[in-house]
Amino acid sequence: MKKLNRYTKQILLAGFAAFAALHGCSSEPSVAPPSTDTTPPVLTLTEGDDTLLIGVPWDEPGYTAIDEKDGNISSNVVISGEPNELRPGRYTITYSITDNAGNTATQSRIIDVILHPSTVAFYPFSGDADDYSGNNLHGTVIDGATLAEDRFGADSSAYHFDGTGYIEVDYNSLLRSGAADSFS
């Protein structure tokens, strides 16, 4: 085998460099081209009941998230917010999904928690003895009744009575039931 001299080695190296430059080869690490995926996933909320009677547990109706490149990515949906089944009000639940290219889709669901139509008074004891039924049958806390933790562990959502305290509600014809009154 013929030994290459220094001049021949330089020509071979120059030839290789020219070949590499013409064919896109480089000694630099290759960088992937930026993503051309600019289409967000399609986030669909399953139809469900948007009105909930107080005290009735809410069941998530469901959702799907499909991306044209990533496929079904429903398991990656992030949900924020939830209805408080023990407190009347309007609650917003937000669903968000981001695909591998960083495109995001967001949807919202509104849930109204309402009292049963025949409710005369509703006292959630959330820091007070106010009536949330809309009938304004607010209570007045009398000595010895103090706010306490409820059975679910929520602070100031129940009252503790020491034997002398009570909550007084002024007379209103709505409270007349015609039979012995019992409240729970």
Side-chain angles (χ1 to χ4, degrees), residues 98-165:
T98 303
D99 66 14
N100 287 330
N103 303 307
T104 300
T106 302
Q107 294 281 348
S108 293
R109 185 188 311 270
I110 305 292
I111 303 294
D112 289 314
V113 178
I114 62 170
L115 294 170
H116 190 278
S118 65
T119 300
V120 173
F122 176 70
Y123 303 97
F125 298 135
S126 52
D128 55 39
D130 289 347
D131 170 26
Y132 285 80
S133 71
N135 292 323
N136 295 317
L137 301 173
H138 303 303
T140 302
V141 179
I142 308 299
D143 296 331
T146 56
L147 283 165
E149 184 178 281
D150 71 9
R151 64 184 175 175
F152 302 110
D155 285 332
S156 299
S157 295
Y159 273 91
H160 171 78
F161 299 94
D162 68 358
T164 60

Side-chain angles (χ1 to χ4, degrees), residues 10-110:
Q10 288 175 345
I11 290 175
L12 287 174
L13 286 174
F16 176 74
F19 176 82
L22 288 172
H23 294 285
C25 296
S26 166
S27 61
E28 298 295 318
S30 64
V31 176
S35 173
T36 57
D37 179 7
T38 58
T39 304
V42 176
L43 179 57
T44 305
L45 302 182
T46 306
E47 297 260 346
D49 195 0
D50 59 355
T51 302
L52 183 65
L53 283 177
I54 196 157
V56 175
W58 183 70
D59 290 322
E60 167 62 54
Y63 48 86
T64 57
I66 306 295
D67 185 69
E68 66 182 19
K69 300 249 188 216
D70 302 333
N72 188 335
I73 53 175
S74 299
S75 62
N76 298 334
V77 171
V78 175
I79 303 172
S80 61
E82 63 182 327
N84 180 344
E85 299 138 352
L86 301 176
R87 178 81 178 224
R90 176 165 276 197
Y91 299 90
T92 301
I93 303 167
T94 304
Y95 303 77
S96 184
I97 184 67
T98 303
D99 66 14
N100 287 330
N103 303 307
T104 300
T106 302
Q107 294 281 348
S108 293
R109 185 188 311 270
I110 305 292

